[in-house]
Amino acid sequence: MSDGEHCDVVYVRVEGSEGGEHLLVAPTGTTLRDVLVEAGLSPYTRLTERLNCGGRGLCGTCGVRIEEGPSAEHWHDALAERWGYPRLSCQVRLREDARVRLVEKVIWGRRESE
C-alpha cells in the first residue's frame, strides 16, 4: 500500500495466553477490546468479564501486550508503554495492523484454563 492510500480494514494477529494464534480482520478505527471480545478472545478473566468499566479506561482489567502496532494515545497506555506493563485494549484504536498477546491475569480473579 502506498503512502496516503486509505485502508478500510486492519489485521490483528493475536497470540493467546496459553499459546495458539489467531488472525482477525477489523474495521480501521475500532478499539482492540471490541475486536477481541467480538472474536471470542476476551482480554478479561471470568470475573472481570462482568465487572469492568465498559471500555472507559478506568478499571485496568483489559490489559494486553502490544508486540507491534499503534502507539499509545491514552495516558495509561503511555505509562504502560514506558514502563513495560500491559496496555488497555479498550484504549487502543486500530489504525494500523497489530500483533498482540493476551496476558495471564493475576488480579480480580485468575484466568482459568478451560
Side-chain angles (χ1 to χ4, degrees), residues 81-100:
E81 198 170 71
R82 180 175 181 185
W83 298 104
Y85 54 87
R87 289 179 50 195
L88 301 179
S89 62
C90 69
Q91 299 301 309
V92 176
R93 286 263 171 220
L94 295 169
R95 294 186 177 92
E96 62 189 81
D97 294 348
R99 188 167 58 86
V100 303

Side-chain angles (χ1 to χ4, degrees), residues 70-88:
S71 297
E73 295 177 10
H74 185 266
W75 66 267
H76 179 281
D77 287 342
L79 290 174
E81 198 170 71
R82 180 175 181 185
W83 298 104
Y85 54 87
R87 289 179 50 195
L88 301 179

